[in-house]
Amino acid sequence: MSASKQQNPAAPQSARSALVVADGWRDYQLLDCGAGMKQERWGEYTLVRPDPQIIWPRRDGGGAGPADWKNWDGYYHRHATGGGRWEFRKPLPEYWKIGYGQLVFKIRPTSFKHTGLFPEQAVNWDWFSKKIRDAKAAGREVSVLNFFGYTGAATCAAAAAGASVCHVDAAEGMVKWCRENAALSGLENAPIRYITDDCMKFVRREIKRGRRYDAIIMDPPTYGRGSGGEMWKLEDHLWELLRECREVLSDQPLFFLINAYTARLSPTVVVNLLGELMHAARGTITGGEVGLPIQRDGKVLPCGIYGRWEE
């Protein structure tokens, strides 16, 4: 054992970065990738969307235009000046549903190319759901704080595993979507608090109120604005938010999960942040990439990074 570990035996142990792959889906498939685009099956509908990580060519030599992809229902065209628009071969419903285990999610193509769900995060849902179920089986109640909660997939997964959850997002429409996903998943009466607020302001109020949580999940954006127009910039504000979150963790925290979708962070940076944050707590820290298997050729599409602290 090193001298530094002898001096601080409670310091969390860090593991090497690892790629974790969300390969448990039935209602979703990443069918093919190439030339900056990906073809996905969302239930009974197939969508083609851009992805900046896909810089390799199509294996069959095809391009990235609509004529080069077969059997799609919706195709997102990028604009050279930013943004884009959907092209649909046939009218699609306003939304449809897909399932993951007992969870059911509302899917809707949005004007900014997303669908309301990040399927690669299923591998994190599975991880923290087991931790919650194991804690419950040991007779422990678990409370979870989900920051930047978006449409609430992680909130629903944690609630389905038996936790009470506080879901926070600055966008009222996303919080409403979370409520809808919870209802679709049979969780309309689950102990979920739905909060539309700026995350920094909310956690500071929770500190004053003395409220504590056993676990925290967060998916911070690169840039953003709070419900009152507050500016968020990842490099400037993430550590400040993490320090505030440490104040609302219970005396025996269960886990802390950070997801990120920005090229500005590496998994090692997230691991280092968690190491600084949880330096006085026993536990293990891991980090890496989350990915999706590509059905056509067996590659994995990296879809973001994660860092996990767990007791």
Side-chain angles (χ1 to χ4, degrees):
M1 180 178 289
S2 69
S4 62
K5 290 180 180 177
Q6 289 175 341
Q7 292 168 4
N8 186 9
Q13 304 299 303
S14 295
R16 290 186 177 183
S17 294
L19 170 67
V20 292
V21 180
D23 55 6
W25 280 97
R26 293 185 178 181
D27 284 359
Y28 170 87
Q29 284 184 308
L30 178 54
L31 301 173
D32 196 7
C33 290
M37 303 295 285
K38 58 186 177 183
Q39 186 180 41
E40 306 163 286
R41 179 179 66 83
W42 297 85
E44 61 184 290
Y45 300 103
T46 298
L47 305 178
V48 177
R49 300 187 293 159
D51 190 305
Q53 296 274 34
I54 305 170
I55 63 174
W56 58 89
R58 289 277 301 279
R59 173 167 286 191
D60 58 7
D68 298 304
W69 295 79
K70 297 179 180 179
N71 304 320
W72 54 266
D73 299 297
Y75 190 104
Y76 190 86
H77 296 268
R78 292 173 293 185
H79 292 159
T81 56
R85 64 174 181 83
W86 284 99
E87 175 188 356
F88 299 109
R89 280 182 167 165
K90 61 182 180 182
L92 298 187
E94 180 184 356
Y95 72 90
W96 62 94
K97 298 177 285 186
I98 69 170
Y100 185 81
Q102 74 178 85
L103 304 174
V104 180
F105 304 113
K106 170 184 167 182
I107 301 301
R108 179 173 62 84
T110 68
S111 60
F112 43 95
K113 88 174 181 179
H114 296 306
T115 65
L117 188 69
F118 294 98
E120 64 274 7
Q121 288 301 322
V123 71
N124 278 325
W125 310 336
D126 292 341
W127 170 74
F128 66 65
S129 292
K130 183 179 187 305
K131 295 197 68 66
I132 292 169
R133 288 193 298 268
D134 288 349
K136 294 281 289 184
R140 178 178 176 181
E141 295 299 317
V142 178
S143 59
V144 176
L145 176 60
N146 185 14
F147 269 159
F148 309 100
Y150 193 49
T151 60
T155 290
C156 293
S164 61
V165 188
C166 181
H167 175 97
V168 184
D169 197 282
E172 184 176 1
M174 297 298 102
V175 176
K176 179 174 181 282
W177 199 328
C178 176
R179 282 185 180 271
E180 293 168 342
N181 282 334
L184 290 172
S185 299
L187 298 167
E188 59 269 27
N189 296 319
I192 301 174
R193 296 168 63 206
Y194 301 93
I195 308 293
T196 302
D197 203 351
D198 173 78
C199 291
M200 191 78 77
K201 288 185 174 181
F202 179 79
V203 73
R204 286 171 175 165
R205 286 198 298 272
E206 292 290 84
I207 292 170
K208 291 179 180 179
R209 288 189 281 252
R211 195 184 297 271
R212 310 290 287 278
Y213 297 89
D214 301 301
I216 294 177
I217 301 166
M218 67 167 60
D219 192 349
T222 305
Y223 298 101
R225 290 194 178 275
S227 59
E230 303 85 357
M231 186 64 190
W232 163 273
K233 188 176 180 182
L234 188 74
E235 300 96 319
D236 295 341
H237 299 115
L238 179 56
W239 176 245
E240 182 182 4
L241 177 62
L242 290 175
R243 286 190 306 172
E244 301 287 5
C245 286
R246 186 68 180 89
E247 295 299 311
V248 298
L249 277 176
S250 64
D251 294 334
Q252 293 183 304
L254 187 61
F255 65 85
F256 201 124
L257 170 64
I258 302 174
N259 297 303
Y261 286 91
T262 173
R264 295 171 185 240
L265 290 186
S266 76
T268 302
V269 170
V270 179
V271 165
N272 290 345
L273 285 167
L274 285 172
E276 287 296 317
L277 188 72
M278 306 300 291
H279 68 275
R282 292 185 181 273
T284 301
I285 298 173
T286 55
E289 293 181 296
V290 290
L292 288 166
I294 303 170
Q295 298 300 310
R296 181 174 183 180
D297 57 18
K299 292 188 184 76
V300 173
L301 175 65
C303 301
I305 64 173
Y306 71 93
R308 301 168 176 172
W309 174 91
E310 56 188 304
E311 66 170 358

